[in-house]
Amino acid sequence: QVQLVESGGGLVQAGGSLRLSCAASGRTFSLYAMGWFRQAPGNEREFVARISWRGSSTYYADSVKGRFTLSRDNAKNTVYLQMNKLKPEDTAVYYCAASLAPRRLWEREGYDYWGQGTQVTVSS
């Protein structure tokens, strides 16, 4: 019903920047919010940030607040995650997710659709 495709991951040095993209297709009109999660080897998938599908309300995890910024391009049905001042601990697979309801948006269980993930590696 909704398909998500992430892109923009790669290898950067600590202190560098990357911009991740999440392109949504299908029945995007039904979406409430888009979120980003990340998962490092041996760790649980953790919440990073989310943005409302309509409007521009955003919320960030404390670990990335002040460094990461969400934005949305309505014409392209695409959400962007600008990541600045990257740290080695930011290294993870980053997943884009879409939610149909305004609940549990800081938890994995609150999202209905997921992208395939894109690798972000930050070298020290």
Side-chain angles (χ1 to χ4, degrees):
Q1 189 172 26
V2 175
Q3 296 80 45
L4 306 174
V5 179
E6 304 103 329
S7 62
L11 173 64
V12 297
Q13 293 183 337
S17 299
L18 283 174
R19 189 179 74 160
L20 304 183
S21 299
C22 177
S25 61
R27 292 184 54 83
T28 58
F29 183 81
S30 64
L31 298 179
Y32 181 81
M34 300 284 286
W36 285 94
F37 288 73
R38 66 187 183 185
Q39 187 168 20
N43 292 347
E44 298 289 331
R45 190 172 299 185
E46 65 176 357
F47 171 80
V48 175
R50 64 96 169 172
I51 187 171
S52 60
W53 187 244
R54 299 177 180 179
S56 58
S57 298
T58 58
Y59 184 83
Y60 301 91
D62 289 341
S63 59
V64 306
K65 191 175 299 181
R67 299 187 298 121
F68 291 10
T69 303
L70 279 168
S71 61
R72 175 170 43 79
D73 187 330
N74 291 340
K76 297 181 178 180
N77 283 337
T78 299
V79 171
Y80 303 96
L81 181 65
Q82 179 67 45
M83 307 186 296
N84 298 325
K85 300 180 179 179
L86 284 162
K87 305 174 181 179
E89 49 263 46
D90 294 319
T91 296
V93 176
Y94 283 70
Y95 296 90
C96 179
S99 176
L100 296 171
R103 51 179 169 81
R104 306 185 70 181
L105 296 179
W106 60 97
E107 300 176 0
R108 181 178 183 178
E109 291 76 10
Y111 292 82
D112 303 281
Y113 305 98
W114 293 85
Q116 82 288 349
T118 184
Q119 177 70 47
V120 172
T121 302
V122 184
S123 62
S124 60

